[in-house]
């Protein structure tokens, strides 16, 4: 989230909306409800702090063909965002896409196209956002090559990509493939915020 008081933006990721039928029924139902509550907490915080934009940086769903209940949960959360006059910017993650096939995010993009408040960005692009004090933001969805307009500096680079050396989970698994720190630096951005990693990671260029 930006540190400015007048216009703030929240960046979050990896909700993995999932009924999780592999768990005990009671635990699975609570797990499913908790996903909704976490997002609603973000909206409440946003409302209390004059935040107008929420970026969801990939892995909205656990599967790119979610169940009816999983779809209903997303639409109920989208409704809350719209009723509070906020904007939800979605960048696809690896769990949201199936190369070359129509997925739920394509469906969401069409359903909310008229509103202007729910946006799905599926291509690499650079945008300028007023609610981020007119700063430029480079968008990198999963499966897209990150290089675009590399000669133009951007204040922020956001998306859903694998970065070599990033921590994948709390069990210590570290990513060994994807974009290197050197390649990130070549994007010529001031800051980087990515989904895909489920624990905080401090990345340094290897000597």
């Amino acid at each position: 989230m930006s540190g400015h008081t007048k216009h703030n933006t929240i960046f979050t990721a990896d909700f993995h909306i999932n009924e999780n039928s592999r768990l005990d029924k009671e635990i699975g139902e609570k797990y499913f409800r908790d996903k909704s509550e976490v997002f609603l907490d973000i909206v409440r915080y946003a409302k209390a702090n004059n935040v107008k934009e929420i970026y969801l940086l990939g892995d909205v769903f656990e599967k790119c063909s979610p169940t009816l209940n999983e779809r209903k949960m997303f639409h109920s959360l989208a409704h809350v965002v719209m009723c509070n006059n906020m904007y939800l910017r979605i960048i696809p993650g690896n769990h949201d896409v199936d190369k070359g096939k129509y997925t739920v995010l394509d469906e969401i993009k069409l359903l909310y196209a008229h509103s202007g408040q729910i946006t799905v960005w599926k291509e690499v692009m650079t945008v300028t956002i007023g609610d981020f004090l007119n700063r430029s933001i480079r968008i990198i969805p999963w499966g897209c090559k990150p290089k675009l307009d590399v000669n133009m500096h951007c204040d922020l680079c956001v998306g859903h990509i694998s970065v070599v050396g990033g921590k994948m989970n709390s069990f210590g698994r570290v990513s060994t493939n994807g974009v290197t720190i050197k390649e990130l630096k070549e994007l010529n951005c001031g800051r980087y915020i990515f989904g895909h990693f489920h624990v905080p990671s401090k990345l340094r260029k290897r000597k």
Side-chain angles (χ1 to χ4, degrees):
M1 186 176 67
S2 69
H4 306 289
T5 56
K6 186 175 181 181
H7 296 290
N8 292 319
T9 303
I10 289 177
F11 299 92
T12 185
D14 295 283
F15 273 84
H16 292 272
I17 295 174
N18 181 20
E19 290 188 272
N20 210 338
S21 57
R22 292 172 296 177
L23 297 175
D24 172 85
K25 183 178 179 181
E26 185 175 344
I27 296 174
E29 289 176 352
K30 183 180 184 302
Y31 178 84
F32 190 49
R33 291 195 303 270
D34 286 348
K35 299 280 185 177
S36 177
E37 282 303 312
V38 168
F39 190 86
L40 291 175
D41 281 344
I42 291 173
V43 174
R44 293 184 193 107
Y45 179 89
K47 185 176 181 179
N49 290 274
N50 192 35
V51 173
K52 291 299 182 184
E53 290 190 308
I54 300 172
Y55 274 65
L56 188 43
L57 306 181
D59 288 356
V60 182
F61 297 93
E62 177 66 20
K63 298 178 181 178
C64 60
S65 297
T67 66
L68 179 59
N69 284 338
E70 290 163 2
R71 279 177 159 87
K72 284 181 176 178
M73 175 182 284
F74 173 84
H75 293 307
S76 66
L77 298 176
H79 180 72
V80 172
V81 169
M82 294 172 69
C83 286
N84 282 280
N85 295 315
M86 298 175 188
Y87 298 86
L88 180 63
R89 314 298 190 187
I90 301 170
I91 300 171
N94 54 305
H95 284 256
D96 302 313
V97 300
D98 190 354
K99 192 173 182 179
K101 295 183 180 179
Y102 184 90
T103 69
V104 66
L105 291 191
D106 294 297
E107 175 186 302
I108 289 169
K109 186 176 182 178
L110 287 173
L111 286 173
Y112 293 97
H114 68 285
S115 73
Q117 289 178 258
I118 311 294
T119 307
V120 178
W121 284 323
K122 296 185 65 180
E123 298 177 354
V124 179
M125 65 181 72
T126 301
V127 297
T128 302
I129 303 174
D131 272 0
F132 205 73
L133 298 184
N134 292 319
R135 295 187 175 190
S136 57
I137 299 182
R138 186 162 294 143
I139 308 298
I140 305 179
W142 180 265
C144 296
K145 292 183 178 180
K147 291 188 177 182
L148 178 76
D149 298 331
V150 292
N151 294 322
M152 183 184 76
H153 173 78
C154 280
D155 298 286
L156 185 64
C157 181
V158 302
H160 196 97
I161 64 175
S162 181
V163 182
V164 175
K167 294 181 180 179
M168 299 299 298
N169 54 43
S170 57
F171 301 106
R173 181 186 171 196
V174 175
S175 175
T176 57
N177 55 27
V179 179
T180 65
I181 301 302
K182 180 181 177 181
E183 289 170 328
L184 282 181
K185 289 180 178 294
E186 289 174 354
L187 293 176
N188 195 21
C189 296
R191 290 184 177 184
Y192 303 84
I193 303 175
F194 299 122
H196 192 55
F197 300 100
H198 292 195
V199 291
S201 294
K202 289 184 178 181
L203 302 171
R204 294 181 177 87
K205 183 178 178 181
R206 295 178 180 177
K207 295 181 180 180

